[in-house]
mmCIF file of all heavy atoms in Angstrom:
data_model
loop_
_atom_site.group_PDB
_atom_site.id
_atom_site.type_symbol
_atom_site.label_atom_id
_atom_site.label_comp_id
_atom_site.label_asym_id
_atom_site.label_seq_id
_atom_site.Cartn_x
_atom_site.Cartn_y
_atom_site.Cartn_z
ATOM 1 N N GLU A 245 112.336 96.538 99.822
ATOM 2 C CA GLU A 245 111.264 97.532 99.947
ATOM 3 C C GLU A 245 109.911 96.809 99.932
ATOM 4 O O GLU A 245 109.656 95.973 99.053
ATOM 5 C CB GLU A 245 111.356 98.488 98.753
ATOM 6 C CG GLU A 245 110.339 99.599 98.765
ATOM 7 C CD GLU A 245 110.268 100.341 97.425
ATOM 8 O OE1 GLU A 245 110.904 99.896 96.441
ATOM 9 O OE2 GLU A 245 109.563 101.353 97.370
ATOM 10 N N VAL A 246 109.061 97.134 100.902
ATOM 11 C CA VAL A 246 107.713 96.556 100.932
ATOM 12 C C VAL A 246 106.818 97.396 100.020
ATOM 13 O O VAL A 246 106.728 98.610 100.167
ATOM 14 C CB VAL A 246 107.144 96.561 102.371
ATOM 15 C CG1 VAL A 246 105.688 96.101 102.375
ATOM 16 C CG2 VAL A 246 107.991 95.669 103.273
ATOM 17 N N LEU A 247 106.131 96.736 99.083
ATOM 18 C CA LEU A 247 105.281 97.466 98.142
ATOM 19 C C LEU A 247 103.805 97.325 98.473
ATOM 20 O O LEU A 247 102.988 98.156 98.074
ATOM 21 C CB LEU A 247 105.514 96.951 96.713
ATOM 22 C CG LEU A 247 106.926 97.123 96.150
ATOM 23 C CD1 LEU A 247 107.006 96.514 94.760
ATOM 24 C CD2 LEU A 247 107.311 98.592 96.108
ATOM 25 N N CYS A 248 103.442 96.261 99.172
ATOM 26 C CA CYS A 248 102.022 95.996 99.370
ATOM 27 C C CYS A 248 101.823 95.065 100.564
ATOM 28 O O CYS A 248 102.630 94.167 100.800
ATOM 29 C CB CYS A 248 101.503 95.347 98.080
ATOM 30 S SG CYS A 248 99.756 94.972 98.061
ATOM 31 N N ARG A 249 100.721 95.319 101.294
ATOM 32 C CA ARG A 249 100.340 94.448 102.414
ATOM 33 C C ARG A 249 98.899 94.011 102.222
ATOM 34 O O ARG A 249 98.091 94.747 101.667
ATOM 35 C CB ARG A 249 100.470 95.204 103.742
ATOM 36 C CG ARG A 249 101.912 95.538 104.117
ATOM 37 C CD ARG A 249 101.982 96.401 105.369
ATOM 38 N NE ARG A 249 103.342 96.801 105.663
ATOM 39 C CZ ARG A 249 104.210 96.103 106.416
ATOM 40 N NH1 ARG A 249 103.811 94.970 106.977
ATOM 41 N NH2 ARG A 249 105.438 96.528 106.611
ATOM 42 N N GLU A 250 98.587 92.829 102.699
ATOM 43 C CA GLU A 250 97.206 92.341 102.619
ATOM 44 C C GLU A 250 96.394 92.997 103.738
ATOM 45 O O GLU A 250 96.970 93.705 104.580
ATOM 46 C CB GLU A 250 97.153 90.803 102.623
ATOM 47 C CG GLU A 250 97.957 90.117 103.700
ATOM 48 C CD GLU A 250 97.216 89.930 104.981
ATOM 49 O OE1 GLU A 250 96.094 89.403 104.939
ATOM 50 O OE2 GLU A 250 97.752 90.278 106.051
ATOM 51 N N PRO A 251 95.057 92.793 103.762
ATOM 52 C CA PRO A 251 94.224 93.541 104.707
ATOM 53 C C PRO A 251 94.644 93.394 106.180
ATOM 54 O O PRO A 251 94.403 94.288 106.986
ATOM 55 C CB PRO A 251 92.822 92.960 104.475
ATOM 56 C CG PRO A 251 92.842 92.519 103.050
ATOM 57 C CD PRO A 251 94.237 92.034 102.795
ATOM 58 N N GLU A 252 95.292 92.288 106.529
ATOM 59 C CA GLU A 252 95.731 92.132 107.925
ATOM 60 C C GLU A 252 97.136 92.657 108.175
ATOM 61 O O GLU A 252 97.676 92.506 109.266
ATOM 62 C CB GLU A 252 95.615 90.664 108.343
ATOM 63 C CG GLU A 252 94.159 90.287 108.588
ATOM 64 C CD GLU A 252 93.923 88.787 108.646
ATOM 65 O OE1 GLU A 252 94.869 88.041 108.965
ATOM 66 O OE2 GLU A 252 92.790 88.391 108.355
ATOM 67 N N GLY A 253 97.726 93.249 107.147
ATOM 68 C CA GLY A 253 99.014 93.930 107.344
ATOM 69 C C GLY A 253 100.241 93.105 107.015
ATOM 70 O O GLY A 253 101.366 93.580 107.142
ATOM 71 N N ARG A 254 100.020 91.870 106.580
ATOM 72 C CA ARG A 254 101.192 91.060 106.258
ATOM 73 C C ARG A 254 101.705 91.397 104.854
ATOM 74 O O ARG A 254 100.941 91.801 103.978
ATOM 75 C CB ARG A 254 100.844 89.579 106.397
ATOM 76 C CG ARG A 254 100.551 89.229 107.852
ATOM 77 C CD ARG A 254 100.123 87.807 108.029
ATOM 78 N NE ARG A 254 98.859 87.535 107.404
ATOM 79 C CZ ARG A 254 98.270 86.339 107.406
ATOM 80 N NH1 ARG A 254 98.858 85.322 107.979
ATOM 81 N NH2 ARG A 254 97.105 86.177 106.818
ATOM 82 N N ILE A 255 103.000 91.193 104.663
ATOM 83 C CA ILE A 255 103.656 91.637 103.421
ATOM 84 C C ILE A 255 103.357 90.683 102.266
ATOM 85 O O ILE A 255 103.584 89.473 102.379
ATOM 86 C CB ILE A 255 105.178 91.726 103.634
ATOM 87 C CG1 ILE A 255 105.501 92.716 104.762
ATOM 88 C CG2 ILE A 255 105.889 92.122 102.340
ATOM 89 C CD1 ILE A 255 106.952 92.669 105.224
ATOM 90 N N VAL A 256 102.870 91.247 101.138
ATOM 91 C CA VAL A 256 102.540 90.415 99.976
ATOM 92 C C VAL A 256 103.177 90.902 98.664
ATOM 93 O O VAL A 256 102.941 90.292 97.622
ATOM 94 C CB VAL A 256 101.013 90.254 99.803
ATOM 95 C CG1 VAL A 256 100.424 89.427 100.941
ATOM 96 C CG2 VAL A 256 100.307 91.601 99.709
ATOM 97 N N ALA A 257 103.964 91.984 98.717
ATOM 98 C CA ALA A 257 104.719 92.370 97.519
ATOM 99 C C ALA A 257 105.979 93.095 97.960
ATOM 100 O O ALA A 257 105.947 93.916 98.882
ATOM 101 C CB ALA A 257 103.892 93.271 96.599
ATOM 102 N N VAL A 258 107.081 92.758 97.304
ATOM 103 C CA VAL A 258 108.374 93.347 97.665
ATOM 104 C C VAL A 258 109.194 93.627 96.418
ATOM 105 O O VAL A 258 108.945 93.083 95.336
ATOM 106 C CB VAL A 258 109.204 92.400 98.573
ATOM 107 C CG1 VAL A 258 108.601 92.271 99.957
ATOM 108 C CG2 VAL A 258 109.392 91.041 97.928
ATOM 109 N N HIS A 259 110.210 94.469 96.629
ATOM 110 C CA HIS A 259 111.126 94.845 95.565
ATOM 111 C C HIS A 259 112.519 94.960 96.170
ATOM 112 O O HIS A 259 112.672 95.468 97.286
ATOM 113 C CB HIS A 259 110.652 96.197 94.996
ATOM 114 C CG HIS A 259 111.700 96.921 94.247
ATOM 115 N ND1 HIS A 259 112.255 98.098 94.694
ATOM 116 C CD2 HIS A 259 112.330 96.608 93.093
ATOM 117 C CE1 HIS A 259 113.162 98.495 93.816
ATOM 118 N NE2 HIS A 259 113.229 97.617 92.847
ATOM 119 N N GLN A 260 113.507 94.444 95.478
ATOM 120 C CA GLN A 260 114.899 94.624 95.902
ATOM 121 C C GLN A 260 115.766 94.602 94.647
ATOM 122 O O GLN A 260 115.735 93.636 93.891
ATOM 123 C CB GLN A 260 115.333 93.494 96.849
ATOM 124 C CG GLN A 260 116.772 93.633 97.312
ATOM 125 C CD GLN A 260 117.196 92.498 98.243
ATOM 126 O OE1 GLN A 260 116.650 91.398 98.192
ATOM 127 N NE2 GLN A 260 118.163 92.780 99.102
ATOM 128 N N GLY A 261 116.539 95.637 94.435
ATOM 129 C CA GLY A 261 117.392 95.699 93.234
ATOM 130 C C GLY A 261 116.544 95.568 91.987
ATOM 131 O O GLY A 261 115.600 96.323 91.774
ATOM 132 N N ASN A 262 116.838 94.564 91.174
ATOM 133 C CA ASN A 262 116.087 94.354 89.928
ATOM 134 C C ASN A 262 115.011 93.292 90.066
ATOM 135 O O ASN A 262 114.508 92.795 89.060
ATOM 136 C CB ASN A 262 117.054 93.931 88.808
ATOM 137 C CG ASN A 262 118.028 95.030 88.452
ATOM 138 O OD1 ASN A 262 117.769 96.202 88.721
ATOM 139 N ND2 ASN A 262 119.152 94.667 87.871
ATOM 140 N N VAL A 263 114.674 92.944 91.298
ATOM 141 C CA VAL A 263 113.739 91.828 91.487
ATOM 142 C C VAL A 263 112.453 92.287 92.181
ATOM 143 O O VAL A 263 112.482 93.053 93.147
ATOM 144 C CB VAL A 263 114.402 90.677 92.288
ATOM 145 C CG1 VAL A 263 113.446 89.501 92.421
ATOM 146 C CG2 VAL A 263 115.691 90.229 91.608
ATOM 147 N N LEU A 264 111.331 91.824 91.638
ATOM 148 C CA LEU A 264 109.997 92.170 92.118
ATOM 149 C C LEU A 264 109.258 90.860 92.406
ATOM 150 O O LEU A 264 109.433 89.877 91.684
ATOM 151 C CB LEU A 264 109.292 92.942 90.999
ATOM 152 C CG LEU A 264 107.834 93.331 91.130
ATOM 153 C CD1 LEU A 264 107.668 94.419 92.190
ATOM 154 C CD2 LEU A 264 107.311 93.849 89.778
ATOM 155 N N ALA A 265 108.437 90.834 93.454
ATOM 156 C CA ALA A 265 107.661 89.618 93.706
ATOM 157 C C ALA A 265 106.351 89.971 94.383
ATOM 158 O O ALA A 265 106.278 90.875 95.212
ATOM 159 C CB ALA A 265 108.462 88.652 94.576
ATOM 160 N N THR A 266 105.298 89.241 93.989
ATOM 161 C CA THR A 266 103.983 89.389 94.633
ATOM 162 C C THR A 266 103.481 88.002 95.039
ATOM 163 O O THR A 266 103.664 87.034 94.302
ATOM 164 C CB THR A 266 102.948 90.053 93.690
ATOM 165 O OG1 THR A 266 102.793 89.269 92.499
ATOM 166 C CG2 THR A 266 103.367 91.456 93.298
ATOM 167 N N SER A 267 102.859 87.940 96.229
ATOM 168 C CA SER A 267 102.241 86.668 96.677
ATOM 169 C C SER A 267 101.040 86.344 95.819
ATOM 170 O O SER A 267 100.586 85.210 95.784
ATOM 171 C CB SER A 267 101.699 86.797 98.102
ATOM 172 O OG SER A 267 102.653 87.233 98.983
ATOM 173 N N PHE A 268 100.472 87.392 95.214
ATOM 174 C CA PHE A 268 99.216 87.227 94.478
ATOM 175 C C PHE A 268 99.456 87.260 92.975
ATOM 176 O O PHE A 268 100.588 87.399 92.505
ATOM 177 C CB PHE A 268 98.212 88.305 94.918
ATOM 178 C CG PHE A 268 98.735 89.709 94.784
ATOM 179 C CD1 PHE A 268 98.650 90.391 93.588
ATOM 180 C CD2 PHE A 268 99.334 90.349 95.871
ATOM 181 C CE1 PHE A 268 99.140 91.681 93.455
ATOM 182 C CE2 PHE A 268 99.822 91.647 95.745
ATOM 183 C CZ PHE A 268 99.723 92.315 94.538
ATOM 184 N N HIS A 269 98.349 87.134 92.210
ATOM 185 C CA HIS A 269 98.415 86.973 90.755
ATOM 186 C C HIS A 269 97.715 88.109 90.029
ATOM 187 O O HIS A 269 96.527 87.972 89.700
ATOM 188 C CB HIS A 269 97.698 85.674 90.357
ATOM 189 C CG HIS A 269 98.293 84.435 90.916
ATOM 190 N ND1 HIS A 269 99.336 83.772 90.328
ATOM 191 C CD2 HIS A 269 97.987 83.720 92.025
ATOM 192 C CE1 HIS A 269 99.643 82.695 91.031
ATOM 193 N NE2 HIS A 269 98.838 82.652 92.069
ATOM 194 N N PRO A 270 98.408 89.203 89.708
ATOM 195 C CA PRO A 270 97.747 90.228 88.881
ATOM 196 C C PRO A 270 97.391 89.664 87.514
ATOM 197 O O PRO A 270 96.428 90.099 86.885
ATOM 198 C CB PRO A 270 98.799 91.338 88.761
ATOM 199 C CG PRO A 270 100.037 90.845 89.379
ATOM 200 C CD PRO A 270 99.768 89.568 90.087
ATOM 201 N N GLU A 271 98.144 88.696 87.052
ATOM 202 C CA GLU A 271 97.919 88.113 85.717
ATOM 203 C C GLU A 271 96.618 87.312 85.679
ATOM 204 O O GLU A 271 96.080 87.076 84.602
ATOM 205 C CB GLU A 271 99.128 87.252 85.291
ATOM 206 C CG GLU A 271 99.257 85.883 85.931
ATOM 207 C CD GLU A 271 99.782 85.897 87.367
ATOM 208 O OE1 GLU A 271 99.916 86.973 87.965
ATOM 209 O OE2 GLU A 271 100.032 84.800 87.900
ATOM 210 N N VAL A 272 96.116 86.923 86.854
ATOM 211 C CA VAL A 272 94.825 86.223 86.897
ATOM 212 C C VAL A 272 93.686 87.240 86.999
ATOM 213 O O VAL A 272 92.619 87.059 86.419
ATOM 214 C CB VAL A 272 94.784 85.215 88.079
ATOM 215 C CG1 VAL A 272 93.389 84.642 88.275
ATOM 216 C CG2 VAL A 272 95.797 84.090 87.846
ATOM 217 N N SER A 273 93.939 88.356 87.697
ATOM 218 C CA SER A 273 92.905 89.397 87.857
ATOM 219 C C SER A 273 92.713 90.232 86.602
ATOM 220 O O SER A 273 91.784 91.024 86.541
ATOM 221 C CB SER A 273 93.289 90.378 88.979
ATOM 222 O OG SER A 273 93.812 89.740 90.094
ATOM 223 N N GLY A 274 93.635 90.122 85.639
ATOM 224 C CA GLY A 274 93.566 90.997 84.465
ATOM 225 C C GLY A 274 94.131 92.379 84.737
ATOM 226 O O GLY A 274 93.845 93.338 84.030
ATOM 227 N N VAL A 275 94.962 92.484 85.761
ATOM 228 C CA VAL A 275 95.613 93.756 86.107
ATOM 229 C C VAL A 275 96.939 93.839 85.343
ATOM 230 O O VAL A 275 97.727 92.891 85.388
ATOM 231 C CB VAL A 275 95.890 93.787 87.634
ATOM 232 C CG1 VAL A 275 96.783 94.944 88.008
ATOM 233 C CG2 VAL A 275 94.580 93.828 88.402
ATOM 234 N N THR A 276 97.172 94.944 84.644
ATOM 235 C CA THR A 276 98.424 95.056 83.874
ATOM 236 C C THR A 276 99.481 95.914 84.576
ATOM 237 O O THR A 276 100.653 95.869 84.217
ATOM 238 C CB THR A 276 98.172 95.691 82.485
ATOM 239 O OG1 THR A 276 97.580 96.986 82.685
ATOM 240 C CG2 THR A 276 97.277 94.833 81.622
ATOM 241 N N GLU A 277 99.062 96.689 85.574
ATOM 242 C CA GLU A 277 99.966 97.707 86.141
ATOM 243 C C GLU A 277 101.217 97.130 86.797
ATOM 244 O O GLU A 277 102.279 97.751 86.758
ATOM 245 C CB GLU A 277 99.211 98.594 87.146
ATOM 246 C CG GLU A 277 98.307 99.631 86.497
ATOM 247 C CD GLU A 277 96.976 99.066 86.005
ATOM 248 O OE1 GLU A 277 96.727 97.851 86.209
ATOM 249 O OE2 GLU A 277 96.198 99.840 85.414
ATOM 250 N N VAL A 278 101.095 95.961 87.421
ATOM 251 C CA VAL A 278 102.279 95.394 88.083
ATOM 252 C C VAL A 278 103.298 94.945 87.020
ATOM 253 O O VAL A 278 104.503 95.140 87.171
ATOM 254 C CB VAL A 278 101.910 94.234 89.034
ATOM 255 C CG1 VAL A 278 103.135 93.763 89.795
ATOM 256 C CG2 VAL A 278 100.828 94.667 90.023
#
Side-chain angles (χ1 to χ4, degrees):
E245 182 192 8
V246 174
L247 298 178
C248 182
R249 292 175 184 271
E250 49 88 51
E252 285 165 25
R254 294 176 294 179
I255 301 169
V256 292
V258 290
H259 161 248
Q260 180 181 26
N262 294 339
V263 183
L264 174 70
T266 59
S267 306
F268 55 85
H269 298 275
E271 76 283 8
V272 171
S273 318
V275 169
T276 58
E277 283 79 2
V278 185

